[in-house]
Amino acid sequence: MAQTGEKRKRETEEENGAEGGTIAAHPLSGFELKSVLRDSAREKTIFLHGQVPEDAVVILEKIPFQADAVFNLLKNEPKLKLQLKNDIYGVYHLSPPPELNEIKTTVICPATEKHIKKYLQQEIYLINETEEDYKAITLPFIETQSFSVQWVYNILEKKAESDRIVYENPDSVNGFVLIPDFKWNQKQVEDLYLIGICHQRGIRSLRDLTSDHLTLLKNIFQEGKEAILKRYGIHENKLRIYLHYQPSYYHLHVHFTALGHEAPGCSVERAHLLSDVIQNIESNPNYYQTRTLTYVLREDEVLLKKFRESGMC
């Protein structure tokens, strides 16, 4: 996800079919499959590692149904092929038209080893990170990370994706940009997913937050809800607003998702509700500097290796 901005840029280029006034090359020209990294029947998503000829990660995802389009399809008596009939239960195969059979395709190219490992199916482990663990293990790890957040700065500086911004508070300290996450196709609100990215630099994660950041957090919380209500008609009691720890990239951002959408990373071992974060800091300005935080790491993650080397897991 640290390359999210690049993914968004590629998607826009592919939709326009051109870059710099010329026809863009097909992003999967000559694609050769190397391996299936992960296949999720539940999420209707498959992750592939291939070469084009550079290493590439390709993510194929069935997009959610659009109610109006499905209604129009069914009312016109589409062709159904019977598979099973038993009393009141019938199972059929229906071949939908192209507009209802789209596959969202995300291409990460050139993909590094980190990208390939990120999408590989792996064992996961629960980490209980104390204040001391953070200072001795996690913080040094964060400071050595090579993933760039330049794509974040490009958004904040309007060098990229300025046309996709839903809302902005331009204050350099307490302001933020609200923008759709690349995982949301914006065709229906049932899987709404936006990201609030703060303008202030240097706030890497939940661990950095203190009472100095309360105005910023409250602005994101309140103004983000108001912007989503105005644009999409979704009230705050239908929104899940939270931060990740560990985050996918180390520049403070807040996730806004539809409450009924089980977005990746919304589980209790990673997501921290923004309303809880604000209340915790109000009760103790250094709450997130001293609290033990629990999260999951995957088998091949370098941070897990660092914890094991320290004898902490």
Side-chain angles (χ1 to χ4, degrees), residues 69-81 93-95 97:
V70 171
F71 171 72
N72 289 331
L73 171 66
L74 297 182
K75 76 176 182 179
N76 292 319
E77 299 183 1
K79 184 178 180 180
L80 298 174
K81 184 177 181 181
H93 276 182
L94 186 158
S95 297

PDB file of all heavy atoms in Angstrom, residues 69-81 93-95 97:
ATOM      1  N   ALA A  69     -28.544  -1.788 -11.994  1.00  0.00           N
ATOM      2  CA  ALA A  69     -28.160  -2.580 -13.158  1.00  0.00           C
ATOM      3  C   ALA A  69     -28.649  -4.017 -13.039  1.00  0.00           C
ATOM      4  O   ALA A  69     -29.103  -4.621 -14.022  1.00  0.00           O
ATOM      5  CB  ALA A  69     -26.642  -2.546 -13.338  1.00  0.00           C
ATOM      6  N   VAL A  70     -28.565  -4.576 -11.833  1.00  0.00           N
ATOM      7  CA  VAL A  70     -29.039  -5.944 -11.617  1.00  0.00           C
ATOM      8  C   VAL A  70     -30.552  -6.020 -11.800  1.00  0.00           C
ATOM      9  O   VAL A  70     -31.075  -6.960 -12.412  1.00  0.00           O
ATOM     10  CB  VAL A  70     -28.631  -6.444 -10.210  1.00  0.00           C
ATOM     11  CG1 VAL A  70     -29.311  -7.776  -9.913  1.00  0.00           C
ATOM     12  CG2 VAL A  70     -27.119  -6.585 -10.117  1.00  0.00           C
ATOM     13  N   PHE A  71     -31.269  -5.020 -11.303  1.00  0.00           N
ATOM     14  CA  PHE A  71     -32.718  -4.996 -11.456  1.00  0.00           C
ATOM     15  C   PHE A  71     -33.114  -4.971 -12.930  1.00  0.00           C
ATOM     16  O   PHE A  71     -34.006  -5.709 -13.379  1.00  0.00           O
ATOM     17  CB  PHE A  71     -33.302  -3.781 -10.736  1.00  0.00           C
ATOM     18  CG  PHE A  71     -34.757  -3.544 -11.018  1.00  0.00           C
ATOM     19  CD1 PHE A  71     -35.730  -4.388 -10.491  1.00  0.00           C
ATOM     20  CD2 PHE A  71     -35.160  -2.501 -11.841  1.00  0.00           C
ATOM     21  CE1 PHE A  71     -37.078  -4.185 -10.765  1.00  0.00           C
ATOM     22  CE2 PHE A  71     -36.501  -2.298 -12.124  1.00  0.00           C
ATOM     23  CZ  PHE A  71     -37.461  -3.140 -11.585  1.00  0.00           C
ATOM     24  N   ASN A  72     -32.421  -4.133 -13.704  1.00  0.00           N
ATOM     25  CA  ASN A  72     -32.725  -4.049 -15.133  1.00  0.00           C
ATOM     26  C   ASN A  72     -32.436  -5.361 -15.848  1.00  0.00           C
ATOM     27  O   ASN A  72     -33.151  -5.741 -16.777  1.00  0.00           O
ATOM     28  CB  ASN A  72     -31.918  -2.918 -15.767  1.00  0.00           C
ATOM     29  CG  ASN A  72     -32.403  -1.547 -15.336  1.00  0.00           C
ATOM     30  OD1 ASN A  72     -33.578  -1.366 -15.035  1.00  0.00           O
ATOM     31  ND2 ASN A  72     -31.490  -0.583 -15.282  1.00  0.00           N
ATOM     32  N   LEU A  73     -31.384  -6.040 -15.388  1.00  0.00           N
ATOM     33  CA  LEU A  73     -31.053  -7.340 -15.989  1.00  0.00           C
ATOM     34  C   LEU A  73     -32.147  -8.368 -15.709  1.00  0.00           C
ATOM     35  O   LEU A  73     -32.619  -9.058 -16.621  1.00  0.00           O
ATOM     36  CB  LEU A  73     -29.705  -7.824 -15.442  1.00  0.00           C
ATOM     37  CG  LEU A  73     -29.307  -9.262 -15.789  1.00  0.00           C
ATOM     38  CD1 LEU A  73     -29.064  -9.395 -17.293  1.00  0.00           C
ATOM     39  CD2 LEU A  73     -28.063  -9.681 -15.009  1.00  0.00           C
ATOM     40  N   LEU A  74     -32.575  -8.473 -14.463  1.00  0.00           N
ATOM     41  CA  LEU A  74     -33.522  -9.516 -14.073  1.00  0.00           C
ATOM     42  C   LEU A  74     -34.926  -9.272 -14.630  1.00  0.00           C
ATOM     43  O   LEU A  74     -35.642 -10.223 -14.950  1.00  0.00           O
ATOM     44  CB  LEU A  74     -33.569  -9.626 -12.547  1.00  0.00           C
ATOM     45  CG  LEU A  74     -32.269 -10.050 -11.869  1.00  0.00           C
ATOM     46  CD1 LEU A  74     -32.472 -10.157 -10.367  1.00  0.00           C
ATOM     47  CD2 LEU A  74     -31.755 -11.373 -12.434  1.00  0.00           C
ATOM     48  N   LYS A  75     -35.328  -8.034 -14.762  1.00  0.00           N
ATOM     49  CA  LYS A  75     -36.684  -7.753 -15.243  1.00  0.00           C
ATOM     50  C   LYS A  75     -36.840  -8.082 -16.720  1.00  0.00           C
ATOM     51  O   LYS A  75     -37.962  -8.206 -17.221  1.00  0.00           O
ATOM     52  CB  LYS A  75     -37.053  -6.296 -14.961  1.00  0.00           C
ATOM     53  CG  LYS A  75     -36.418  -5.278 -15.895  1.00  0.00           C
ATOM     54  CD  LYS A  75     -36.927  -3.872 -15.600  1.00  0.00           C
ATOM     55  CE  LYS A  75     -36.344  -2.857 -16.558  1.00  0.00           C
ATOM     56  NZ  LYS A  75     -36.851  -1.485 -16.296  1.00  0.00           N
ATOM     57  N   ASN A  76     -35.729  -8.217 -17.428  1.00  0.00           N
ATOM     58  CA  ASN A  76     -35.762  -8.547 -18.853  1.00  0.00           C
ATOM     59  C   ASN A  76     -35.617 -10.043 -19.120  1.00  0.00           C
ATOM     60  O   ASN A  76     -35.277 -10.447 -20.237  1.00  0.00           O
ATOM     61  CB  ASN A  76     -34.669  -7.768 -19.593  1.00  0.00           C
ATOM     62  CG  ASN A  76     -34.948  -6.283 -19.631  1.00  0.00           C
ATOM     63  OD1 ASN A  76     -36.095  -5.871 -19.840  1.00  0.00           O
ATOM     64  ND2 ASN A  76     -33.926  -5.471 -19.415  1.00  0.00           N
ATOM     65  N   GLU A  77     -35.890 -10.858 -18.104  1.00  0.00           N
ATOM     66  CA  GLU A  77     -35.873 -12.318 -18.215  1.00  0.00           C
ATOM     67  C   GLU A  77     -34.590 -12.840 -18.874  1.00  0.00           C
ATOM     68  O   GLU A  77     -34.602 -13.385 -19.978  1.00  0.00           O
ATOM     69  CB  GLU A  77     -37.097 -12.816 -18.990  1.00  0.00           C
ATOM     70  CG  GLU A  77     -38.408 -12.451 -18.329  1.00  0.00           C
ATOM     71  CD  GLU A  77     -39.609 -13.019 -19.071  1.00  0.00           C
ATOM     72  OE1 GLU A  77     -39.390 -13.714 -20.085  1.00  0.00           O
ATOM     73  OE2 GLU A  77     -40.742 -12.774 -18.624  1.00  0.00           O
ATOM     74  N   PRO A  78     -33.451 -12.694 -18.189  1.00  0.00           N
ATOM     75  CA  PRO A  78     -32.185 -13.170 -18.763  1.00  0.00           C
ATOM     76  C   PRO A  78     -32.181 -14.690 -18.910  1.00  0.00           C
ATOM     77  O   PRO A  78     -32.927 -15.397 -18.242  1.00  0.00           O
ATOM     78  CB  PRO A  78     -31.153 -12.715 -17.721  1.00  0.00           C
ATOM     79  CG  PRO A  78     -31.914 -12.689 -16.444  1.00  0.00           C
ATOM     80  CD  PRO A  78     -33.290 -12.197 -16.805  1.00  0.00           C
ATOM     81  N   LYS A  79     -31.335 -15.173 -19.787  1.00  0.00           N
ATOM     82  CA  LYS A  79     -31.226 -16.610 -20.015  1.00  0.00           C
ATOM     83  C   LYS A  79     -30.607 -17.284 -18.790  1.00  0.00           C
ATOM     84  O   LYS A  79     -29.542 -16.900 -18.330  1.00  0.00           O
ATOM     85  CB  LYS A  79     -30.369 -16.892 -21.245  1.00  0.00           C
ATOM     86  CG  LYS A  79     -30.276 -18.370 -21.600  1.00  0.00           C
ATOM     87  CD  LYS A  79     -29.459 -18.569 -22.865  1.00  0.00           C
ATOM     88  CE  LYS A  79     -29.356 -20.045 -23.215  1.00  0.00           C
ATOM     89  NZ  LYS A  79     -28.557 -20.243 -24.442  1.00  0.00           N
ATOM     90  N   LEU A  80     -31.304 -18.297 -18.266  1.00  0.00           N
ATOM     91  CA  LEU A  80     -30.837 -19.024 -17.089  1.00  0.00           C
ATOM     92  C   LEU A  80     -30.625 -20.487 -17.461  1.00  0.00           C
ATOM     93  O   LEU A  80     -31.473 -21.094 -18.114  1.00  0.00           O
ATOM     94  CB  LEU A  80     -31.863 -18.931 -15.945  1.00  0.00           C
ATOM     95  CG  LEU A  80     -32.169 -17.543 -15.392  1.00  0.00           C
ATOM     96  CD1 LEU A  80     -33.307 -17.626 -14.386  1.00  0.00           C
ATOM     97  CD2 LEU A  80     -30.940 -16.933 -14.761  1.00  0.00           C
ATOM     98  N   LYS A  81     -29.521 -21.052 -17.008  1.00  0.00           N
ATOM     99  CA  LYS A  81     -29.223 -22.464 -17.238  1.00  0.00           C
ATOM    100  C   LYS A  81     -29.380 -23.210 -15.921  1.00  0.00           C
ATOM    101  O   LYS A  81     -28.633 -22.980 -14.969  1.00  0.00           O
ATOM    102  CB  LYS A  81     -27.799 -22.625 -17.773  1.00  0.00           C
ATOM    103  CG  LYS A  81     -27.450 -24.069 -18.135  1.00  0.00           C
ATOM    104  CD  LYS A  81     -26.053 -24.157 -18.736  1.00  0.00           C
ATOM    105  CE  LYS A  81     -25.724 -25.592 -19.105  1.00  0.00           C
ATOM    106  NZ  LYS A  81     -24.340 -25.697 -19.686  1.00  0.00           N
ATOM    107  N   HIS A  93     -27.201 -20.931 -13.628  1.00  0.00           N
ATOM    108  CA  HIS A  93     -26.077 -20.142 -14.103  1.00  0.00           C
ATOM    109  C   HIS A  93     -26.627 -19.041 -14.985  1.00  0.00           C
ATOM    110  O   HIS A  93     -27.458 -19.300 -15.862  1.00  0.00           O
ATOM    111  CB  HIS A  93     -25.095 -21.011 -14.895  1.00  0.00           C
ATOM    112  CG  HIS A  93     -24.125 -21.739 -14.027  1.00  0.00           C
ATOM    113  ND1 HIS A  93     -23.130 -22.549 -14.518  1.00  0.00           N
ATOM    114  CD2 HIS A  93     -23.995 -21.776 -12.677  1.00  0.00           C
ATOM    115  CE1 HIS A  93     -22.439 -23.068 -13.518  1.00  0.00           C
ATOM    116  NE2 HIS A  93     -22.944 -22.607 -12.396  1.00  0.00           N
ATOM    117  N   LEU A  94     -26.163 -17.827 -14.761  1.00  0.00           N
ATOM    118  CA  LEU A  94     -26.580 -16.661 -15.533  1.00  0.00           C
ATOM    119  C   LEU A  94     -25.324 -15.976 -16.047  1.00  0.00           C
ATOM    120  O   LEU A  94     -24.414 -15.662 -15.278  1.00  0.00           O
ATOM    121  CB  LEU A  94     -27.393 -15.715 -14.655  1.00  0.00           C
ATOM    122  CG  LEU A  94     -28.047 -14.488 -15.288  1.00  0.00           C
ATOM    123  CD1 LEU A  94     -29.208 -14.008 -14.422  1.00  0.00           C
ATOM    124  CD2 LEU A  94     -27.055 -13.334 -15.464  1.00  0.00           C
ATOM    125  N   SER A  95     -25.263 -15.736 -17.336  1.00  0.00           N
ATOM    126  CA  SER A  95     -24.116 -15.035 -17.927  1.00  0.00           C
ATOM    127  C   SER A  95     -24.483 -13.571 -18.105  1.00  0.00           C
ATOM    128  O   SER A  95     -25.277 -13.228 -18.997  1.00  0.00           O
ATOM    129  CB  SER A  95     -23.740 -15.651 -19.273  1.00  0.00           C
ATOM    130  OG  SER A  95     -23.329 -16.993 -19.109  1.00  0.00           O
ATOM    131  N   PRO A  97     -24.182  -9.401 -18.864  1.00  0.00           N
ATOM    132  CA  PRO A  97     -23.549  -8.581 -19.906  1.00  0.00           C
ATOM    133  C   PRO A  97     -22.236  -7.995 -19.395  1.00  0.00           C
ATOM    134  O   PRO A  97     -21.994  -7.980 -18.180  1.00  0.00           O
ATOM    135  CB  PRO A  97     -24.588  -7.497 -20.176  1.00  0.00           C
ATOM    136  CG  PRO A  97     -25.355  -7.388 -18.893  1.00  0.00           C
ATOM    137  CD  PRO A  97     -25.409  -8.785 -18.346  1.00  0.00           C
TER     138      PRO A  97
END
